[in-house]
């Protein structure tokens, strides 16, 4: 006697339900997709008991006649694909025809639907997969599906559900994701008789997203296309990296109108925001990728939340480029908002008596070490001959203050800000055209140096500072391996080193911008960064981390008192820079307090 048997249809449906219907939110997702595929312009969702007592979906789509109502109850009954080739280019949200029979097998289901060409509708009542009754009924065009007592015949599955609050959180997320996919469709969500969400079709996408995220600020617009073997178009709205939204909201990603969870896409967004988003912070907003359906496999997961791309590397690079392009546009927006023409800022005049000369730092500065912040706008640093290079100093020995350059009027114009002063030797206060602008001097200078270093590194032109007295450094076994592995990169970063026997190396030159540091200290710090970044998948990311560390070491610090001329130069360089709003580690550089904000603080109208 054969031991292999064909499962009864009802049992097969219950097994399929275990894959498709993970929780109440899975039911809501499948039914909303059917409503949208039916061309609905209004979708109403009613939930009771966290979705286990009642799920009701009402739409005004094209509806079904009696024959279609019966056929949709059959497993693999679908109107969305007919031929093998249709499966290679799926343009609808649903396509397998498993949702309705799978859901009905673990619930009490009622379907009421009227096709747009019919005068009467049809009602079908099912009891855990078995058709109990079907009859004509009067109803509006569209479909109403009621799911009651979900998992009533599978108590083990119900035991694995979370609390009502948790399950409602998943349902709420599904409704919001699909409402963002089709902003032209109205959505409403009612929970236990209380209206919790109303999204009207008259709202544009930005208004709908702002309401969902509980965010009142402006968005960074992403709109980027690429033509190749197939067309790619990424469109969306991102919350600026230094803004915070309520809760732990993450980026919402859609692919051809389908809400998905894809690590590759999420990683591409993170890479595009690299240098703008602080560690452990998540991007927020919406991104919608439009791609040829033939390039996407949406049939790799029972719930259709995971997808697979035929050319994932190309997609990843495109996402990174699109986000980077959007961030560059955001920089220009900030410039036009805060760095206005000087005539727009009251009292923003400059002294015409400034000349290009050298002055010592202010005598009231208590710091024993005054670094050259490198804020000049002259040509790239040039290596100084050994004969005129001062000896390298130990970190414990104080350096004499380095004279700082004063800039001419022509060099300092352009940013359009009136400098108020420096607070706590860290923050620069300026009057902008719209209020008070506060700038973190270290973060600002660090970003400028980082971009400069990155360009020089790619060109192989990072200037070296030859040491009059070369330094010897002892390396650990791990550091020796790094020196051997990254020898080319270390050379391009401005170091000149050579073996001195055993585990000793001699440092004869360092990057010019690090001349205020002990050579061995700077070199060991760079090696440490190589080790900390070695786990990154992308080599470019590792090198950026190292260059960011170099920029951080060389930038002006908290506690460094800057002269007016140095502040002028910093602001002018920010005005000329392509990227300036965040330091390479993602911390914001500037914050604007509008005149209206200040008035509100003091209760002035």
């Amino acid at each position: 006697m054969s031991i292999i048997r064909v499962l009864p249809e009802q049992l097969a449906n219950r097994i399929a339900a275990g894959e498709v219907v993970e929780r109440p939110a899975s039911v809501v997702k499948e039914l909303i997709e059917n409503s949208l595929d039916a061309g609905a312009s209004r979708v109403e969702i009613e939930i009771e008991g966290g979705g286990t007592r009642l799920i009701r979906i009402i739409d005004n789509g094209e509806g079904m006649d009696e024959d279609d109502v019966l056929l949709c109850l059959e497993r693999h009954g679908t109107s969305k694909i007919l031929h093998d080739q249709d499966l290679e280019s799926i343009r609808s949200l649903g396509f397998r025809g498993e949702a309705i029979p799978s859901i009905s097998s673990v619930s009490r289901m009622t379907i009421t639907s009227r096709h747009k060409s019919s005068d009467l509708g049809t009602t079908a009542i099912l009891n855990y997969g078995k058709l109990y009754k079907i009859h004509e009924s009067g109803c509006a065009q569209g479909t109403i599906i009621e799911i009651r007592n979900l998992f009533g015949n599978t108590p083990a599955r119900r035991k694995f559900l979370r609390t009502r609050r948790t399950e409602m959180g998943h349902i709420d997320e599904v409704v919001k994701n699909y409402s963002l996919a089709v902003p032209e469709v109205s959505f409403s969500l009612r929970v236990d008789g209380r209206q919790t969400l109303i999204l009207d079709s008259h709202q544009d996408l930005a208004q709908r997203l702002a309401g969902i995220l509980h965010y009142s600020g402006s968005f960074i617009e992403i709109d980027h296309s690429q033509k190749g073997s197939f067309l790619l178009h990424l469109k969306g709205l991102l919350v600026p990296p230094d803004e915070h939204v309520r809760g732990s909201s993450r980026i919402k990603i859609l692919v051809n109108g389908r809400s998905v969870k894809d690590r590759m896409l999420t990683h591409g967004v993170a890479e595009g925001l690299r240098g703008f988003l602080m560690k452990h912070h998540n991007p927020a907003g919406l991104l919608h990728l439009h791609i040829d359906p033939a390039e996407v496999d949406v049939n790799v997961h029972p719930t259709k939340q995971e997808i697979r791309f035929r050319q994932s590397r190309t997609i990843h690079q495109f996402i990174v480029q699109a986000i980077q392009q959007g961030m560059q546009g955001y920089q220009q927006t900030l410039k036009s908002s805060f760095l206005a023409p000087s005539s727009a800022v009251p009292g923003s005049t400059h002294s015409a008596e400034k000349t290009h000369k050298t002055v010592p730092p202010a005598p009231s500065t208590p710091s024993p070490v005054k670094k050259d912040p490198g804020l000049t706008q002259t040509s790239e640093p040039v290596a100084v001959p050994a004969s005129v290079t001062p000896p390298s100093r130990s970190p414990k020995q104080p350096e004499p203050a380095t004279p700082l350059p004063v800039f001419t009027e022509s060099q300092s114009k352009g940013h359009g800000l009136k400098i108020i002063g420096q607070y706590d030797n860290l923050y620069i206060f300026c009057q902008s055209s719209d209020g008070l602008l506060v700038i973190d001097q270290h973060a600002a200078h660090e970003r400028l140096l980082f971009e400069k270093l990155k360009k020089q590194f790619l060109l192989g032109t990072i200037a070296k500072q030859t040491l009059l007295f070369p330094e010897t450094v002892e390396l650990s076994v791990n550091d020796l391996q790094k020196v051997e592995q990254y020898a080319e990169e270390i050379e391009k970063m401005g170091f000149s080193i050579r073996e001195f026997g055993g585990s000793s190396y001699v440092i004869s030159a360092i990057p010019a911008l690090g001349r205020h540091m002990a050579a061995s200290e700077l070199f060991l710090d760079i090696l440490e960064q190589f080790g900390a970044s070695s786990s990154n998948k992308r080599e470019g990311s590792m090198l950026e981390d190292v260059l960011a560390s170099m920029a951080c070491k060389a930038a002006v610090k908290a506690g460094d008192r800057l002269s007016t001329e140095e502040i002028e130069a910093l602001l002018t360089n920010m005005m000329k820079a392509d990227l300036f709003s965040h330091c390479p580690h993602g911390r914001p550089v500037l914050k604007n307090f509008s005149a209206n904000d200040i008035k509100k603080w003091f209760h002035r109208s």
Side-chain angles (χ1 to χ4, degrees):
M1 182 178 177
S2 174
I3 61 174
I4 297 178
R5 301 179 182 86
V6 177
L7 292 175
E9 182 178 356
Q10 186 176 2
L11 181 56
N13 285 338
R14 287 183 61 180
I15 294 173
E19 297 176 342
V20 177
V21 188
E22 180 183 3
R23 58 190 345 140
S26 306
V27 176
V28 175
K29 174 183 178 295
E30 296 289 347
L31 298 183
I32 287 178
E33 288 180 351
N34 284 344
S35 296
L36 297 179
D37 283 340
S41 62
R42 186 186 70 254
V43 180
E44 302 173 27
I45 303 100
E46 298 178 22
I47 306 294
E48 292 181 8
T52 56
R53 189 188 311 155
L54 171 68
I55 297 174
R56 181 184 291 120
I57 309 291
I58 305 170
D59 69 58
N60 65 344
E62 66 178 21
M64 297 180 288
D65 58 21
E66 182 175 340
D67 291 339
D68 284 338
V69 169
L70 289 172
L71 286 171
C72 81
L73 302 175
E74 298 292 332
R75 198 173 179 201
H76 305 308
T78 179
S79 62
K80 299 163 187 177
I81 59 173
L82 296 176
H83 309 288
D84 291 348
Q85 56 267 33
D86 295 338
L87 197 60
E88 301 297 324
S89 183
I90 296 172
R91 300 180 182 276
S92 57
L93 297 175
F95 56 90
R96 289 194 296 246
E98 287 185 304
I100 298 298
S102 296
I103 295 169
S104 69
S105 67
V106 292
S107 67
R108 301 179 187 272
M109 175 185 285
T110 301
I111 301 177
T112 300
S113 186
R114 178 170 75 84
H115 192 266
K116 58 184 180 181
S117 62
S118 303
D119 296 327
L120 290 175
T122 301
T123 296
I125 303 174
L126 296 94
N127 189 9
Y128 299 115
K130 293 183 179 179
L131 182 61
Y132 175 71
K133 184 187 295 185
I134 184 167
H135 59 82
E136 289 185 337
S137 61
C139 60
Q141 176 189 323
T143 302
I144 303 172
I145 297 184
E146 292 183 0
I147 308 298
R148 296 183 181 273
N149 200 23
L150 184 63
F151 301 130
N153 61 338
T154 55
R157 174 57 63 90
R158 181 174 280 195
K159 287 181 181 178
F160 280 93
L161 296 179
R162 303 297 181 182
T163 63
R164 287 187 181 183
R165 184 174 182 178
T166 300
E167 296 300 334
M168 273 309 309
H170 288 287
I171 292 173
D172 186 71
E173 184 73 9
V174 167
V175 175
K176 289 177 178 177
N177 286 346
Y178 277 101
S179 71
L180 294 173
V182 281
E184 66 277 8
V185 177
S186 298
F187 284 82
S188 69
L189 176 61
R190 182 180 293 272
V191 180
D192 295 326
R194 182 173 60 91
Q195 196 80 47
T196 61
L197 184 67
I198 298 179
L199 298 171
D200 193 87
S201 60
H202 295 298
Q203 294 177 314
D204 60 25
L205 182 60
Q207 292 172 326
R208 180 167 286 193
L209 180 61
I212 288 174
L213 296 179
H214 304 284
Y215 172 68
S216 58
S218 58
F219 291 99
I220 300 172
E221 185 176 355
I222 305 296
D223 193 351
H224 185 59
S225 298
Q226 175 179 301
K227 292 183 179 179
S229 56
F230 55 94
L231 178 64
L232 287 169
H233 184 202
L234 185 69
K235 194 172 179 65
L237 301 167
L238 292 180
V239 175
D242 49 319
E243 297 286 349
H244 298 283
V245 295
R246 194 170 76 184
S248 58
S249 181
R250 295 179 182 272
I251 192 73
K252 300 178 186 297
I253 298 179
L254 305 169
V255 176
N256 292 343
R258 185 187 305 277
S259 176
V260 300
K261 296 177 181 178
D262 188 90
R263 291 183 180 179
M264 184 272 290
L265 295 178
T266 304
H267 184 268
V269 176
E271 281 294 301
L273 288 172
R274 186 177 181 82
F276 295 98
L277 200 64
M278 291 184 65
K279 193 175 182 180
H280 304 307
H281 284 214
N282 298 316
L286 170 72
L287 291 174
H288 195 161
L289 176 64
H290 299 273
I291 183 175
D292 184 353
E295 295 296 323
V296 187
D297 186 356
V298 299
N299 194 26
V300 296
H301 193 272
T303 63
K304 303 190 294 291
Q305 288 189 340
E306 297 179 10
I307 58 177
R308 184 179 298 148
F309 295 98
R310 299 186 190 279
Q311 300 186 38
S312 58
R313 185 180 297 273
T314 300
I315 306 294
H316 182 271
Q317 293 174 347
F318 169 76
I319 296 293
V320 173
Q321 293 172 0
I323 300 300
Q324 290 176 342
Q325 184 187 71
M327 291 307 298
Q328 289 176 354
Y330 174 59
Q331 307 297 294
Q332 299 305 314
T333 301
L334 289 180
K335 284 183 183 179
S336 62
S337 299
F338 305 142
L339 304 178
S342 58
S343 59
V345 182
S348 60
T349 57
H350 303 280
S351 172
E353 300 177 356
K354 295 179 181 177
T355 58
H356 192 75
K357 60 181 180 179
T358 301
V359 295
S364 59
T365 304
S367 175
V369 178
K370 183 64 178 179
K371 300 174 185 177
D372 178 0
L375 301 179
T376 64
Q377 300 192 51
T378 57
S379 59
E380 305 294 342
V382 179
V384 181
S387 59
V388 297
T389 305
S392 175
R393 297 175 177 267
S394 166
K396 296 181 180 179
Q397 292 178 303
E399 291 185 9
T402 304
L404 298 172
V406 177
F407 295 89
T408 63
E409 171 68 8
S410 61
Q411 288 175 309
S412 60
K413 274 186 175 181
H415 54 74
L417 298 172
K418 180 182 178 182
I419 299 173
I420 298 173
Q422 189 182 17
Y423 169 71
D424 201 24
N425 286 343
L426 173 58
Y427 302 105
I428 299 170
F429 280 52
C430 302
Q431 181 179 348
S432 70
S433 59
D434 186 42
L436 177 67
L437 189 66
V438 182
I439 298 171
D440 184 324
Q441 65 186 34
H442 172 73
H445 193 206
E446 184 181 352
R447 166 55 76 173
L448 296 176
L449 288 180
F450 171 72
E451 293 301 322
K452 184 177 181 180
L453 274 173
K454 191 162 64 170
K455 291 178 182 177
Q456 291 178 344
F457 178 83
L458 294 175
L459 296 174
T461 59
I462 292 182
K464 293 184 179 183
Q465 175 78 55
T466 303
L467 301 179
L468 181 60
F469 298 102
E471 285 195 29
T472 303
V473 61
E474 294 288 331
L475 301 180
S476 66
V477 175
N478 189 29
D479 286 340
L480 288 171
Q481 292 176 347
K482 294 176 192 174
V483 169
E484 182 178 351
Q485 182 178 357
Y486 301 109
E488 183 179 350
E489 288 81 1
I490 291 172
E491 177 71 20
K492 289 180 65 177
M493 286 176 181
F495 290 94
S496 291
I497 61 174
R498 67 177 187 274
E499 293 185 55
F500 194 60
S503 60
S504 299
Y505 270 78
V506 173
I507 306 172
S508 58
I510 62 173
L513 59 78
R515 58 185 176 271
H516 60 275
M517 296 181 62
S520 58
E521 177 187 348
L522 181 61
F523 181 64
L524 290 175
D525 179 75
I526 295 306
L527 289 183
E528 182 180 354
Q529 291 300 316
F530 272 116
S533 304
S534 61
S535 60
N536 288 345
K537 294 181 180 179
R538 192 168 66 92
E539 183 179 357
S541 300
M542 177 191 65
L543 293 174
E544 286 182 4
D545 287 345
V546 176
L547 293 174
S549 178
M550 290 177 61
C552 183
K553 296 290 183 182
V556 294
K557 300 293 188 293
D560 286 348
R561 184 173 180 180
L562 303 183
S563 66
T564 302
E565 290 77 11
E566 291 174 294
I567 295 175
E568 290 275 13
L570 179 63
L571 297 177
T572 303
N573 282 337
M574 289 174 62
M575 183 65 186
K576 292 181 177 181
D578 293 330
L579 303 175
F580 68 92
S581 66
H582 294 74
C583 83
H585 302 99
R587 289 189 299 109
V589 163
L590 71 171
K591 174 69 176 178
N592 189 69
F593 300 90
S594 70
N596 289 333
D597 290 337
I598 298 174
K599 287 179 180 178
K600 288 179 182 178
W601 291 346
F602 296 101
H603 302 284
R604 291 184 176 271
S605 56

